[in-house]
């Protein structure tokens, strides 16, 4: 909202302009604070996924050693079981890695939002990223999926509060 003030029209208009500038600054401050909180949460979820990925890589290494040991001992059935489990773990690690990259993309997009004039379009793309991500991580790390669900609600509320339209 902008108020056109004629500089010649007196003190009241100058006070009105000052008040308008202060209130619009306050709303931008709230928006920036909200965006900062969202970025912090996204980084926490990213860290949780990276930690899970590290544990899975460790498990992968252990199973790989067990598969090699079983194969060398001639126990091909046990080696086959280990190899099949290795394949499943690799799929999960790939899924989590893709999710980590998606979170990184969302974080970068939100950090870019601060510089973009049309915040709602950028937030809409972040919302799309998070909705897709929620489905990917729900089976692997349910806590992150729940947190992402809460964040998408917060982003929807933020978009609604800045535009008055529903997402």
């Amino acid at each position: 909202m902008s108020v056109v003030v004629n500089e010649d029209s007196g003190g009241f208009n100058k006070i009105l302009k000052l008040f308008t500038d202060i209130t619009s600054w306050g709303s931008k401050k709230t928006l920036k604070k909200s965006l900062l909180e969202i970025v912090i949460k996204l980084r926490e979820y990213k860290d949780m996924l990276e930690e899970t990925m590290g544990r899975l890589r460790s498990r992968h290494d252990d199973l790989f050693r067990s598969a090699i040991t079983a194969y060398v001992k001639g126990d091909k059935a046990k080696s086959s079981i280990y190899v099949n489990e290795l394949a499943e773990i690799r799929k999960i690690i790939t899924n989590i890695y893709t999710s980590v990259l998606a979170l990184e993309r969302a974080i970068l997009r939100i950090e870019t939002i601060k510089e973009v004039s049309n915040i709602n379009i950028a937030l809409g793309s972040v919302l799309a990223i998070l909705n897709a991500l929620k489905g990917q991580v729900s089976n692997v790390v349910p806590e992150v999926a729940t947190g992402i669900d809460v964040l998408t609600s917060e982003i929807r509320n933020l978009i609604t509060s800045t535009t008055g339209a529903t997402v």
Side-chain angles (χ1 to χ4, degrees), residues 83-150:
V83 169
N84 287 335
E85 190 61 24
L86 284 170
E88 290 302 315
I89 289 176
R90 285 181 185 153
K91 288 177 191 175
I92 295 169
I93 288 173
T94 302
N95 188 5
I96 292 175
Y97 183 69
T98 303
S99 300
V100 167
L101 291 178
L103 282 176
E104 184 66 32
R105 181 177 176 196
I107 290 167
L108 291 173
R109 183 69 49 93
I110 289 173
E111 289 173 344
T112 304
I113 285 174
K114 296 173 189 172
E115 309 301 324
V116 177
S117 61
N118 196 343
I119 292 172
N120 294 321
I121 292 174
L123 280 177
S125 66
V126 170
L127 199 56
I129 292 169
L130 293 179
N131 282 329
L133 179 64
K134 184 176 65 172
Q136 288 181 349
V137 298
S138 63
N139 292 333
V140 181
V141 188
E143 303 88 36
V144 173
T146 304
I148 288 173
D149 197 34
V150 170

Side-chain angles (χ1 to χ4, degrees), residues 1-165:
M1 174 178 162
S2 69
V3 176
V4 178
V5 177
N6 185 353
E7 293 297 322
D8 300 330
S9 60
F12 178 76
N13 285 336
K14 289 180 184 178
I15 293 171
L16 180 63
K17 181 180 184 313
L18 180 64
F19 177 77
T20 305
D21 290 343
I22 289 171
T23 56
S24 67
W25 177 80
S27 65
K28 288 178 185 174
K29 183 74 170 171
T30 304
L31 180 63
K32 286 188 178 186
K33 183 180 176 186
S34 298
L35 292 176
L36 179 64
E37 290 171 358
I38 290 170
V39 166
I40 289 169
K41 284 292 186 189
L42 288 176
R43 285 193 176 131
E44 287 176 18
Y45 300 142
K46 181 181 162 222
D47 291 343
M48 288 173 67
L49 288 174
E50 287 174 340
E51 182 181 318
T52 302
M53 196 167 50
R55 286 193 314 265
L56 284 171
R57 284 183 176 151
S58 175
R59 174 83 175 136
H60 177 276
D61 293 344
D62 292 342
L63 285 174
F64 185 75
R65 281 190 288 278
S66 297
I68 296 292
T69 303
Y71 186 78
V72 168
K73 288 182 179 179
D75 192 353
K76 293 185 182 190
K78 194 180 251 188
S79 176
S80 176
I81 292 170
Y82 288 134
V83 169
N84 287 335
E85 190 61 24
L86 284 170
E88 290 302 315
I89 289 176
R90 285 181 185 153
K91 288 177 191 175
I92 295 169
I93 288 173
T94 302
N95 188 5
I96 292 175
Y97 183 69
T98 303
S99 300
V100 167
L101 291 178
L103 282 176
E104 184 66 32
R105 181 177 176 196
I107 290 167
L108 291 173
R109 183 69 49 93
I110 289 173
E111 289 173 344
T112 304
I113 285 174
K114 296 173 189 172
E115 309 301 324
V116 177
S117 61
N118 196 343
I119 292 172
N120 294 321
I121 292 174
L123 280 177
S125 66
V126 170
L127 199 56
I129 292 169
L130 293 179
N131 282 329
L133 179 64
K134 184 176 65 172
Q136 288 181 349
V137 298
S138 63
N139 292 333
V140 181
V141 188
E143 303 88 36
V144 173
T146 304
I148 288 173
D149 197 34
V150 170
L151 276 181
T152 55
S153 296
E154 289 178 18
I155 291 173
R156 280 191 185 97
N157 291 339
L158 194 59
I159 292 171
T160 303
S161 68
T162 57
T163 63

